[in-house]
């Protein structure tokens, strides 16, 4: 799960990390009022859950209240990578002497947490990793042991020149680590981590992601969820217990299992089609899940065909067939439908569908070719 | 032969009285697996069908020789169950449970390793040596005893591949689902190594997916060490970056985990990567000569 910059900074502040003043504005008027309260030059930043907002015109500087109102209006009118900007963050323009980078995440390959630091902050870290990898200092942390303090001090001297900066950064890193574990994060990033004219280091941005598997442990984290992170269909799907991701194509897919669902999408593309979605009905055999899945897919006006691909294991093909029949009674399926059933109780499932006039196939490639041709 | 499990493997089921645990314990017994004991705290002394239930893993270990423990307990308690099995010294711990917090798995990964034990999963279908033993949730009947090893990050996609192998007369020595989470107990390399040493495995199918760098690392390992032919498949070639495709580990982020990089690395290591599961038996036959 992803949260906005302002939410991440609020979380930082609750842990005692200096974030400076900030005001969230939903209207140009609120942005104007925020500038009037802060005085001086402000920075207005779009709050969207995708990267690259700067390049998209989502970050602007305003010197006066009128300018703040105007610039906020321009940003609130933007749609960045398909997401409408609903909120902006207003902060005083800081007098920044230098921008650093701090990031803490999971190193899947080495099975450790990894702290990344750079004296070349402010830029996209992925870009920096490609262009100047030597400017990123990496420091592994074994979560069962904790931070190696001497090692960290050594790493810090490679990034921060002055002792007073090292001591500030050390405290912030300890805090980031504490927050990462307590809130079950998958990424905690401060970029830029600004060295201000007053000698202080301040978190000028925040990017925080959480482990979806651990949300049950922290209801206060779940409460920060932004509905706009997911499409309306994705939200409906989650409520129905389905794993669903919207795509741009026109063939709706219903599959059991994430790996097979991805492979089914890939094969659709291989045979000249475009998938409209990823949908994993999961391992259970609840027929209602099929009904919900059909409803969500038929709700997408782009869909010109539906492919159901089930390899029965725990999932029973007869349950899927019954779910499909229930769905046809509740939803008008106006597009071609191809069903492929194999595995547990496939014979029974096939018979159920046959009585209702639906032919179920057994071969995956043939089923995909059929739906690509039929749409 | 086979790897990790065979007809003599004694199995303990943690969470045996639960909905999933009891269902799959019965199915495994029906498929010929030697389930010798179960554990559910507070239900010691009961029986699940003919299987004695104990309060703890050490109690079960006292009464039986245990080679493998398979875990079906719910996600919030799964890490504790892994730790209990590791503390008791169960040599192979298989965690089927889905949705275990990643930080907890990370700690367990190192914990199990530090005790010299092996973990498979979490969020995996388990493993099967066809005709000998099945410890997991896959349908046994689609398998055929033979000499092809299968390693996969996915569940039902593995069934698809196994089905293709079986219908082409290519049986399997052992099929292992390693799990779809960011951190899993055993990776591709651990199992490639075992298949490489197994006299009865002639070739290996490796089923990867987007996310992480494990397939790339496996490719490098294959190039340097593998004596047997390997055919690959990578799912998620159409997946958009930044979106989690069901599995917690199946996400392209930070420019890492792209399908192109994985296919390229594998092809460079001499692994033929199939476009569809149905191509796998043909590619493998060609390699086996």
């Amino acid at each position: 799960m992803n949260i906005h910059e302002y939410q991440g900074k609020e979380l930082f502040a609750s842990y005692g990390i200096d974030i400076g003043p900030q005001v969230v504005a939903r209207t140009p008027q609120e942005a104007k009022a925020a500038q009037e309260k802060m005085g001086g030059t402000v920075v207005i930043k779009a709050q969207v859950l995708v990267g690259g907002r700067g390049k998209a015109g989502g970050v602007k500087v305003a010197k006066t209240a009128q300018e703040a109102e105007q610039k906020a209006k321009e940003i609130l009118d933007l749609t960045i990578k398909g997401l409408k900007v609903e909120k902006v963050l207003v902060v005083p323009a800081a007098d920044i002497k230098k921008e650093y980078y701090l990031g803490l995440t999971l190193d899947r390959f080495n099975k450790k947490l990894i702290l990344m630091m750079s004296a070349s902050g402010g830029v996209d870290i992925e870009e920096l990793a490609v262009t100047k990898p030597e400017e990123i200092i990496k420091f592994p942390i074994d979560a069962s042991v904790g931070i190696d303090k001497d090692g960290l001090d050594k790493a810090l001297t490679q990034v921060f020149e002055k002792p007073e900066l090292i001591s500030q950064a050390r405290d912030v890193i300890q805090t980031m680590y504490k927050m990462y574990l307590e809130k079950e994060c998958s990424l905690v990033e401060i970029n830029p981590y600004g060295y201000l004219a007053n000698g202080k280091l301040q978190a000028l941005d925040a990017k925080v992601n959480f482990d979806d598997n651990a949300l049950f442990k922290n209801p206060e984290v779940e409460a920060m969820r932004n509905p706009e992170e997911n499409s309306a269909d994705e939200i409906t799907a989650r409520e129905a217990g389905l794993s669903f991701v919207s795509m741009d194509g026109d063939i709706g897919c219903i599959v059991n299992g994430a790996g097979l669902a991805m492979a089914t999408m890939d094969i659709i593309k291989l045979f000249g089609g475009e998938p409209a979605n990823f949908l994993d009905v999961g391992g259970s055999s609840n027929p209602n899940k099929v009904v919900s899945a059909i409803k969500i897919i038929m709700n997408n006006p782009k869909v010109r065909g539906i492919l159901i691909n089930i390899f029965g294991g725990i999932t029973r093909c007869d349950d899927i067939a019954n779910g499909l029949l229930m769905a046809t009674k509740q939803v008008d399926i106006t597009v071609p439908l191809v069903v492929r059933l194999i595995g547990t109780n496939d014979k029974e499932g096939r018979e159920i569908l046959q009585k209702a006039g639906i032919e179920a196939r057994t071969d995956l490639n043939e089923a995909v070719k059929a739906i690509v041709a039929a749409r | 032969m086979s790897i990790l499990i065979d007809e003599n493997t004694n199995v303990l089921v943690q969470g045996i009285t639960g909905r999933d645990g009891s269902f799959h314990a019965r199915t495994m017994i029906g498929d010929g697996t030697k389930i010798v004991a179960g554990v559910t705290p507070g239900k010691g002394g009961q029986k699940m069908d003919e299987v004695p239930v104990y309060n703890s893993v050490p109690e079960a270990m006292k009464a039986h020789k245990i080679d493998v423990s398979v875990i079906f307990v719910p996600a919030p308690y799964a890490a504790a169950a892994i730790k209990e099995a590791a503390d008791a010294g169960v040599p192979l711990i298989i965690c089927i449970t889905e949705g275990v917090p990643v930080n907890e798995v990370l700690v367990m990964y190192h914990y199990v390793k530090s005790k010299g034990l092996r973990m498979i999963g979490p969020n995996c279908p388990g493993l099967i040596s066809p005709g000998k033993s099945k410890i997991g949730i896959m349908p046994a009947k689609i398998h055929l005893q033979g000499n092809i090893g299968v390693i996969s990050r996915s569940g039902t996609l593995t069934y698809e591949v196994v089905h293709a192998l079986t219908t082409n007369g290519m049986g399997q020595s052992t099929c292992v689902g390693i799990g779809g989470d960011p951190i899993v107990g055993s990776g591709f390399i651990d199992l490639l190594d075992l298949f490489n040493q197994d006299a009865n495995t002639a070739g290996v199918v490796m089923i990867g997916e987007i996310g992480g760098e494990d397939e790339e690392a496996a490719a490098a390992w294959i190039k340097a060490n593998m004596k047997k032919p390997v055919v690959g498949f990578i799912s998620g070639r159409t997946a958009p970056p930044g979106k989690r495709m069901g599995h917690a580990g199946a996400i392209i982020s930070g420019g890492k985990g792209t399908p192109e990089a994985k296919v390229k690395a594998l092809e460079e290591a001499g692994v033929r990567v199939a476009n569809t599961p149905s191509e796998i038996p043909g590619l493998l036959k060609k390699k086996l000569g």
Side-chain angles (χ1 to χ4, degrees):
Chain A
M1 191 184 96
N2 225 333
I3 56 171
H4 287 298
E5 170 195 5
Y6 79 89
Q7 294 172 305
K9 283 169 76 180
E10 282 169 4
L11 194 55
F12 284 167
S14 74
Y15 273 84
I17 295 175
D18 182 12
I19 60 160
Q22 66 170 15
V23 171
V24 180
R26 286 168 181 79
T27 63
Q29 293 71 34
E30 285 177 16
K32 179 171 178 251
Q35 190 282 338
E36 281 164 351
K37 202 173 146 212
M38 287 170 187
T41 307
V42 295
V43 183
I44 303 170
K45 303 193 267 185
Q47 299 295 293
V48 278
L49 293 167
V50 289
R53 65 180 175 184
K55 283 178 194 151
V59 180
K60 292 182 193 298
V61 174
K63 294 198 176 78
T64 65
Q66 281 67 33
E67 216 184 336
E69 186 176 13
Q70 177 56 33
K71 297 278 165 78
K73 184 178 181 312
E74 287 169 26
I75 295 174
L76 286 164
D77 283 341
L78 289 175
T79 297
I80 301 175
K81 292 182 185 167
L83 288 176
K84 170 102 190 66
V85 180
E86 305 276 1
K87 293 171 219 166
V88 294
L89 185 64
V90 184
V91 298
D95 187 355
I96 305 163
K97 290 164 82 172
K98 193 175 167 85
E99 294 183 334
Y100 294 92
Y101 171 94
L102 292 180
L104 181 63
T105 190
L106 172 68
D107 180 348
R108 286 172 63 164
F109 185 67
N110 292 307
K111 315 281 193 285
K112 293 204 164 137
L113 298 185
I114 186 147
L115 171 70
M116 290 177 289
M117 301 185 280
S118 179
S120 309
V123 298
D124 183 8
I125 195 70
E126 288 166 25
E127 217 172 285
L128 191 67
V130 175
T131 55
K132 296 174 186 164
E134 70 282 359
E135 291 188 8
I136 303 174
I137 303 296
K138 292 182 177 179
F139 180 73
I141 301 170
D142 184 340
S144 41
V145 179
I147 296 178
D148 162 19
K149 292 201 169 67
D150 294 342
L152 177 62
D153 278 349
K154 249 182 230 159
L156 280 166
T157 57
Q158 291 178 265
V159 181
F160 298 93
E161 300 80 8
K162 298 179 178 153
E164 64 266 30
L165 294 190
I166 290 175
S167 68
Q168 288 182 58
R170 187 195 295 123
D171 289 347
V172 164
I173 287 162
Q174 299 276 7
T175 308
M176 283 167 76
Y177 178 63
K178 185 169 185 271
M179 184 179 126
Y180 186 99
L181 295 182
E182 284 180 358
K183 301 295 178 190
E184 304 277 354
C185 301
S186 54
L187 173 71
V188 177
E189 188 181 83
I190 305 177
N191 185 29
Y193 185 38
Y195 174 34
L196 307 187
N198 65 8
K200 295 274 185 232
L201 284 165
Q202 196 175 77
L204 300 178
D205 197 349
K207 196 168 167 187
V208 183
N209 294 346
F210 301 94
D211 171 15
D212 290 349
N213 284 359
L215 289 173
F216 73 89
K217 293 166 89 174
N218 295 306
E220 76 285 3
V221 171
E222 177 66 49
M224 285 192 280
R225 185 186 286 280
N226 295 284
E228 71 269 24
E229 185 184 6
N230 301 100
S231 68
D233 288 344
E234 286 172 0
I235 294 163
T236 314
R238 188 171 51 237
E239 282 161 3
L242 306 166
S243 180
F244 177 90
V245 179
S246 298
M247 303 278 291
D248 292 329
D250 56 10
I251 298 176
C253 314
I254 299 175
V255 188
N256 67 321
L260 187 58
M262 278 190 276
T264 304
M265 288 163 52
D266 297 346
I267 297 169
I268 288 174
K269 179 122 180 163
L270 187 71
F271 290 130
E274 287 288 342
N277 63 276
F278 164 95
L279 193 156
D280 171 13
V281 288
S284 98
S285 279
N286 187 346
N288 287 317
K289 282 196 177 181
V290 182
V291 178
S292 303
I294 294 276
K295 281 183 180 165
I296 289 162
I297 285 175
M298 283 311 299
N299 200 30
N300 177 357
K302 276 199 213 161
V303 165
R304 291 199 290 152
I306 300 177
L307 173 66
I308 300 180
N309 178 25
I310 302 296
F311 203 119
I314 313 172
T315 306
R316 288 166 40 183
C317 291
D318 52 338
D319 284 336
I320 297 286
N322 282 323
L324 181 56
L325 290 194
M326 278 165 65
T328 56
K329 289 187 185 112
Q330 294 179 34
V331 194
D332 193 12
I333 302 178
T334 52
V335 297
L337 171 75
V338 172
V339 183
R340 185 262 187 152
L341 292 180
I342 195 162
T344 309
N345 293 5
D346 54 351
K347 196 166 147 273
E348 291 84 344
R350 221 181 302 284
E351 277 169 16
I352 291 165
L353 291 180
Q354 207 157 33
K355 279 181 196 151
I358 301 170
E359 184 215 353
R361 294 163 182 270
T362 52
D363 186 82
L364 174 55
N365 290 1
E366 294 309 317
V368 171
K369 283 179 193 162
I371 193 64
V372 170
R375 82 201 203 285
Chain B
M1 263 179 33
S2 51
I3 65 163
L4 296 169
I5 60 168
D6 60 26
E7 62 276 20
N8 299 315
T9 304
N10 285 350
V11 181
L12 168 75
V13 179
Q14 284 176 263
I16 195 166
T17 58
R19 191 177 60 102
D20 292 337
S22 58
F23 175 81
H24 290 292
R26 285 188 184 111
T27 312
M28 285 188 274
I29 291 166
D31 290 330
T33 304
K34 284 176 72 180
I35 308 276
V36 297
V39 165
T40 297
K43 298 206 172 167
Q46 297 184 8
K47 284 203 164 187
M48 201 290 303
D49 297 347
E50 294 305 306
V51 182
V53 179
Y54 299 87
N55 283 320
S56 69
V57 177
E59 273 183 40
M61 295 277 278
K62 231 177 267 170
H64 306 269
K65 179 183 171 289
I66 307 284
D67 302 307
V68 177
S69 181
V70 58
I71 295 172
F72 286 98
V73 307
Y77 317 106
I82 294 169
K83 185 169 185 298
E84 188 184 342
D87 284 335
V90 180
L92 177 59
I93 302 164
I94 300 163
C95 184
I96 306 292
T97 310
E98 181 180 352
V100 187
V102 176
N103 285 338
E104 295 181 10
V105 180
L106 183 61
V107 171
M108 280 307 118
Y109 172 89
H110 292 287
Y111 192 76
V112 170
K113 208 149 231 201
S114 73
K115 301 211 171 256
L117 310 169
R118 189 187 294 273
M119 172 164 82
I120 290 176
N123 189 18
C124 77
L127 69 166
I128 179 169
S129 295
K132 296 169 183 168
S133 183
K134 175 187 114 173
I135 309 178
I137 62 175
M138 63 285 282
K141 68 166 187 182
I142 60 169
H143 297 79
L144 175 71
Q145 197 168 337
N147 62 3
I148 304 299
V150 178
I151 315 170
S152 175
R153 268 167 76 180
S154 149
T156 49
L157 176 57
T158 318
Y159 310 165
E160 190 78 51
V161 171
V162 167
H163 173 72
L165 290 171
T166 296
T167 50
N168 281 277
M170 305 180 85
Q172 305 92 42
S173 53
T174 304
C175 305
V176 188
I178 60 174
D181 277 0
I183 302 285
V184 290
S186 301
F188 287 118
I189 295 173
D190 300 307
L191 296 155
L192 284 165
D193 193 16
L194 292 178
F195 281 128
N196 211 17
Q197 294 169 41
D198 178 37
N200 204 36
T201 297
V204 177
V205 180
M206 180 184 143
I207 305 159
E209 65 189 23
I210 54 161
E213 299 158 84
D214 288 354
E215 289 82 359
E216 289 88 329
W221 190 91
I222 288 168
K223 204 171 182 177
N225 305 290
M226 197 73 187
K227 299 181 294 231
K228 299 172 184 181
V230 181
V231 169
F233 182 80
I234 301 291
S235 66
R237 295 203 203 189
T238 42
K243 284 279 187 182
R244 168 182 160 162
M245 306 305 271
H247 289 161
I251 182 165
I252 300 169
S253 62
K256 287 194 178 143
T258 66
E260 295 79 21
K262 293 177 190 298
V263 172
K264 186 166 173 274
L266 287 168
E267 295 270 1
E268 279 173 8
V271 176
R272 286 298 308 275
V273 181
N275 288 311
T276 64
S278 58
E279 283 181 14
I280 291 172
L283 291 174
L284 201 53
K285 264 183 194 154
K286 240 183 244 169
K287 285 229 169 201
L288 289 168

